[in-house]
Amino acid sequence: MEFNYDQIKEKLNGYDLQTKIQLIALAQCLYDRKNLDHQQDQELDQMEADYKKRVEPLIEASNQIISGQRLVKEEEVEDLKEYLNAQEQPILDNQEPIENYWSKVLLNSKTLKNEVIGDRDEPLLKAIKNIRGFENKEQHKLGLIFQFKANDYFPEEELKVEFLLDDKQGEPLKVESTKINWKEGKNISVKIVKKKNKQKKKVKEVEQKTLFQLFKNLDVKDWEKLEEDKKEEQQQKMDMCYDICRLIYDEILPYSLEYYLDVHVEDDDYEGEDMDDDDEDDDEELTKEEAIKRMKERRGFKK
């Protein structure tokens, strides 16, 4: 907790006695307020740590069921009969992955479908076996890991994207991603444009709308000597990648079933708006984790 006694004491010297006494009293109120803020921060951190410890087994169970790594347990389907009709009988020995689960989840996100996913993405989205998120607040890192089955687009079985964040504002400083070794003629992230003039032909790669633009390698330190317009262009790429990662980590992974069934109401911060807009939060019903995050962000703890 920061409280600069010396600076406040120095500033008080220029006031008359009565005003000085009042300001000293205000300084004590300020000290008490900051002390409470500090205590609340510690309590929120503990709440968040407790929440993550309790939710981790649920995340693991969800991933195992989606990918067919284990059988459904009887206690997980106690209310199964409510969802079956008279002709259906429960079968608990199926251990197959849910077909096209993640492609359906991602395509049912209105934000991703409208602003991120391209026309050529769907066959590759169907190759996704699993998506995992990770966050390390001590190291100020956030990222995603996509696992793929064999496909016609690239040989990589796993693609990882990881952001290094500013320790105060939580803004992205660097993003490191797995290099995608696209097979010949299968790179959906760029389009080859050929231009002719009198002297020679020019070939240019133009970036295309696709979820796989997420896998970039960018570092703000590399932009220092760039002209302002080039610097702004790189910053926009970084922000877009981070917004996609944040949306998937915060909204899509925790509530993937709702996206799969297309019953999820997307957060106003994402749906129908540019992903880099920074509008004020609307009043809404939040989960405990979201409430903790919002409270910290409103008080300058954007993580």
Side-chain angles (χ1 to χ4, degrees):
M1 182 189 72
E2 294 184 5
F3 192 81
N4 197 326
Y5 288 98
D6 294 336
Q7 198 172 36
I8 290 176
K9 185 177 180 180
E10 181 182 346
K11 293 289 185 180
L12 290 177
N13 289 333
Y15 293 91
D16 62 78
L17 179 59
Q18 182 59 45
T19 304
K20 184 184 291 187
I21 292 172
Q22 292 172 304
L23 294 176
I24 291 171
L26 287 176
Q28 182 62 45
C29 292
L30 176 60
Y31 173 80
D32 292 342
R33 172 66 180 269
K34 287 199 170 189
N35 190 42
L36 282 174
D37 288 348
H38 180 64
Q39 291 177 22
Q40 187 179 47
D41 291 338
Q42 292 179 317
E43 291 171 4
L44 291 173
D45 287 339
Q46 187 60 51
M47 284 176 61
E48 189 170 11
D50 291 344
Y51 171 85
K52 290 197 170 183
K53 185 176 180 180
R54 294 167 62 187
V55 82
E56 190 62 37
L58 300 178
I59 295 173
E60 184 62 25
S62 297
N63 286 331
Q64 289 176 347
I65 293 169
I66 292 166
S67 58
Q69 292 178 342
R70 71 162 174 83
L71 297 175
V72 172
K73 298 177 181 179
E74 289 188 11
E75 60 266 27
E76 293 172 333
V77 289
E78 289 180 352
D79 299 327
L80 184 62
K81 292 181 180 179
E82 295 183 16
Y83 299 91
L84 303 180
N85 59 44
Q87 288 74 42
E88 292 176 321
Q89 294 298 321
I91 301 173
L92 302 184
D93 60 355
N94 176 53
Q95 198 169 339
E96 294 295 323
I98 301 176
E99 186 176 5
N100 299 328
Y101 182 86
W102 288 109
S103 65
K104 194 170 181 180
V105 167
L106 296 172
L107 287 167
N108 280 342
S109 165
K110 296 178 177 61
T111 302
L112 290 184
K113 188 171 183 179
N114 293 338
E115 300 184 29
V116 179
I117 294 173
D119 296 335
R120 299 163 65 193
D121 280 22
E122 189 167 352
L124 190 45
L125 297 181
K126 289 181 178 179
I128 297 175
K129 294 197 301 184
N130 195 15
I131 306 174
R132 287 181 177 270
F134 61 91
E135 185 174 22
N136 187 319
K137 293 194 174 180
E138 287 72 28
Q139 297 180 13
H140 311 292
K141 291 182 178 180
L142 175 78
L144 300 169
I145 298 172
F146 291 70
Q147 295 175 327
F148 293 84
K149 57 188 177 184
N151 61 81
D152 297 330
Y153 291 83
F154 49 70
E156 285 76 25
E157 295 180 357
E158 184 175 285
L159 297 180
K160 178 180 178 181
V161 57
E162 180 177 271
F163 290 85
L164 175 65
L165 308 177
D166 174 73
D167 60 355
K168 293 182 180 179
Q169 298 300 320
E171 298 297 332
L173 301 175
K174 184 178 182 179
V175 55
E176 292 182 330
S177 302
T178 305
K179 184 181 185 298
I180 302 177
N181 295 295
W182 296 99
K183 296 179 181 180
E184 186 175 356
K186 293 293 186 178
N187 189 347
I188 64 174
S189 67
V190 296
K191 181 179 180 181
I192 306 299
V193 178
K194 297 179 180 180
K195 293 184 177 181
K196 292 183 179 180
N197 57 31
K198 294 181 179 179
Q199 287 76 32
K200 58 182 179 179
K201 295 180 181 179
K202 287 186 176 181
V203 178
K204 182 180 179 182
E205 288 188 348
V206 179
E207 289 190 350
Q208 298 297 290
K209 179 183 176 184
T210 171
L211 177 66
F212 294 87
Q213 295 292 0
L214 172 63
F215 300 97
K216 293 185 181 296
N217 289 280
L218 301 166
D219 190 333
V220 295
K221 293 180 180 178
D222 298 336
W223 313 340
E224 293 175 356
K225 296 181 180 180
L226 294 178
E227 296 179 0
E228 282 302 316
D229 58 339
K230 296 292 184 182
K231 190 183 295 186
E232 183 176 348
E233 181 182 336
Q234 294 299 308
Q235 186 64 56
Q236 287 176 349
K237 289 181 179 181
M238 173 85 86
D239 291 342
M240 176 61 80
C241 289
Y242 181 64
D243 287 344
I244 295 170
C245 180
R246 193 88 247 183
L247 170 62
I248 294 174
Y249 182 83
D250 288 337
E251 292 284 323
I252 293 177
L253 293 186
Y255 313 113
S256 65
L257 176 62
E258 293 179 337
Y259 281 93
Y260 180 81
L261 299 174
D262 199 18
V263 297
H264 186 83
V265 179
E266 289 193 39
D267 193 303
D268 290 340
D269 288 347
Y270 298 110
E271 185 181 359
E273 301 175 2
D274 292 337
M275 294 193 68
D276 57 352
D277 280 355
D278 189 22
D279 294 337
E280 290 294 319
D281 296 324
D282 294 329
D283 290 331
E284 56 186 331
E285 186 176 348
L286 303 173
T287 65
K288 181 191 291 184
E289 187 178 44
E290 289 169 338
I292 290 170
K293 185 180 70 174
R294 292 290 175 84
M295 188 179 295
K296 286 191 173 184
E297 286 178 355
R298 285 168 177 163
R299 292 185 46 209
F301 292 88
K302 186 177 183 182
K303 294 186 179 179

